[in-house]
Amino acid sequence: MNKQNNFIKSTFIVLYFIFIVASFVMNFQPGKQIGLNFTTFAIEMLKILPCAFILIGLFEVWVKKEKVEKHLGEGSGMMSYFWVILLAGTTVGGLYVAFPVAYTLFKKGAKLSVIFTYLGASGICRIPMTIFEASFMGIKFSIIRLLVSIPLVIFSSILLGNYLEKRNYKIRTKGEL
Amino acid sequence: MFYYLLSITICALIISFIFDKNKTIKALKIAYKKFMNILPAFLVMLILVSIVLFLVPDKMIINYLGTKNKFFSVILASIFGSITLMPGFIAYPLCGILLKKGVSYMVLAAFTTTLMMVGVLSYPVEKEYFGAKVTIIRNLISFIISIIVAIAIGFFFGELI
């Protein structure tokens, strides 16, 4: 199943690149546009991802599991949501950067509701993004958005976390990432 | 933004290196391995992004969000926000333009919140980490939260009635 999936994935990737190269050779406009979109976003991500993964690596070797468990794990109180929202506020990029960070936090012993709060908050509470938003949409817009969304994110994360814990949810079973 | 992240990373590496050389090398190895393992999923995501952005260009979003029916626009905006992926420095100036064109705050809230919280295109990456089921549930919850945020914004900006 997994092997077959990988095969489909690689075929898809190879076909895509053949299509892009062919589009440039034959001057096929839509294909060229798609190729340019790819490059723009690839550059954008390559600026962020290597740094993000190096920081994740440093986090892995320096931060002890007990520390994370104590502040973000089972038995940690409401403060854990505060810490994790603060962490999300400093996240750069977008959700795609938050996924590996959340996964690492989970492996270090953070509880599920904290992980989901982190993911939600890294969408809505990123500080640089919020400043940018306020300058275009007005400060009132940003404040209402934050005040409404943060409680909803925490509340839904606790519900989802509890639900999954009851069902004995295991994060990613097919090997480490 | 890039230089800010880069300088923090370099500082962290230097400090780590001063304290423990071996640990730092181990950290770099972990970083490399983790990055390589998830790279195929990122590649698939980038391919989807490049295709969807071609099919749903900015101009189309501008044209569709300005429709008369507010509630229809909110739904449409949430769908656009969910299926596209753009960094804030593109999205907010775009919203600034839309605001000047008379698009309501409520519709723009739906668009930006789904844009930041719901990731249909990042599904290949999220699924690798958390599994398909949790990914779908999380995105559905985020979609509902975005709609609630949009309604709240509409209420406070007096656009609901």
Side-chain angles (χ1 to χ4, degrees):
Chain A
M1 175 64 193
N2 205 12
K3 257 194 180 151
Q4 200 184 354
N5 256 346
N6 276 342
F7 178 72
I8 295 170
K9 211 185 263 178
S10 349
T11 320
F12 174 65
I13 294 173
V14 170
L15 282 178
Y16 174 84
F17 284 112
I18 292 174
F19 167 71
I20 297 299
V21 172
S23 299
F24 273 89
V25 172
M26 299 190 295
N27 209 10
F28 178 58
Q29 215 50 47
K32 279 169 83 176
Q33 187 55 48
I34 291 175
L36 287 178
N37 285 345
F38 180 89
T39 334
T40 318
F41 268 85
I43 291 172
E44 216 36 64
M45 278 183 200
L46 282 180
K47 277 181 181 171
I48 294 173
L49 287 177
C51 289
F53 275 94
I54 289 174
L55 290 175
I56 288 173
L58 287 173
F59 177 84
E60 285 259 312
V61 297
W62 283 108
V63 181
K64 288 203 178 71
K65 197 168 176 175
E66 297 80 55
K67 263 256 151 50
V68 178
E69 264 170 2
K70 189 180 155 210
H71 292 286
L72 305 175
E74 300 300 334
S76 63
M78 282 313 275
M79 274 310 272
S80 57
Y81 300 103
F82 172 78
W83 292 126
V84 93
I85 288 173
L86 209 62
L87 177 68
T90 61
T91 304
V92 270
L95 271 179
Y96 59 88
V97 182
F99 297 140
V101 176
Y103 177 77
T104 310
L105 282 176
F106 183 79
K107 285 280 153 194
K108 283 274 182 190
K111 59 184 171 190
L112 280 170
S113 56
V114 163
I115 296 300
F116 292 123
T117 305
Y118 172 76
L119 285 178
S122 60
I124 55 176
C125 307
R126 272 176 283 140
I127 295 163
M129 185 200 80
T130 307
I131 294 171
F132 205 60
E133 176 195 45
S135 66
F136 277 96
M137 311 292 290
I139 189 98
K140 183 184 167 191
F141 183 89
S142 298
I143 290 175
I144 297 171
R145 191 181 60 81
L146 287 174
L147 287 182
V148 175
S149 56
I150 292 174
L152 285 173
V153 163
I154 297 176
F155 179 69
S156 63
S157 300
I158 293 174
L159 282 185
L160 181 57
N162 286 346
Y163 166 78
L164 290 173
E165 250 146 45
K166 261 188 213 133
R167 305 221 148 189
N168 244 332
Y169 166 70
K170 293 246 174 17
I171 212 162
R172 198 186 154 87
T173 40
K174 44 173 184 174
E176 289 283 313
L177 259 184
Chain B
M1 190 79 75
F2 167 56
Y3 293 106
Y4 151 79
L5 181 64
L6 190 66
S7 38
I8 287 177
T9 311
I10 291 174
C11 286
L13 269 179
I14 292 172
I15 295 169
S16 169
F17 199 82
I18 292 168
F19 277 100
D20 194 326
K21 194 177 142 193
N22 290 333
K23 260 191 174 175
T24 312
I25 291 170
K26 200 179 154 209
L28 286 174
K29 277 184 183 158
I30 292 174
Y32 176 78
K33 211 184 114 213
K34 278 178 178 283
F35 184 58
M36 281 316 187
N37 282 344
I38 198 67
L39 200 59
F42 267 111
L43 212 51
V44 173
M45 171 181 142
L46 276 172
I47 290 174
L48 294 179
V49 171
S50 70
I51 296 170
V52 168
L53 284 192
F54 171 74
L55 298 174
V56 188
D58 294 3
K59 274 194 197 114
M60 187 171 158
I61 295 177
I62 294 179
N63 283 337
Y64 277 91
L65 294 195
T67 51
K68 287 274 180 291
N69 188 326
K70 273 183 231 163
F71 294 97
F72 181 63
S73 297
V74 166
I75 297 298
L76 209 58
S78 326
I79 294 170
F80 276 138
S82 302
I83 59 166
T84 51
L85 203 134
M86 44 172 104
F89 65 85
I90 296 178
Y92 289 113
L94 181 68
C95 288
I97 296 169
L98 290 168
L99 205 56
K100 287 208 181 81
K101 283 192 154 196
V103 175
S104 65
Y105 281 98
M106 183 165 68
V107 170
L108 294 177
F111 178 64
T112 55
T113 317
T114 46
L115 195 60
M116 301 305 167
M117 282 185 82
V118 184
V120 171
L121 294 179
S122 52
Y123 174 82
V125 177
E126 188 170 0
K127 186 198 70 177
E128 286 298 315
Y129 286 113
F130 302 110
K133 188 183 144 200
V134 170
T135 301
I136 292 168
I137 299 177
R138 196 200 64 81
N139 279 292
L140 278 178
I141 292 176
S142 302
F143 189 84
I144 296 168
I145 291 178
S146 306
I147 301 276
I148 299 174
V149 168
I151 293 171
I153 291 272
F155 177 76
F156 283 107
F157 279 86
E159 293 168 342
L160 264 188
I161 323 144

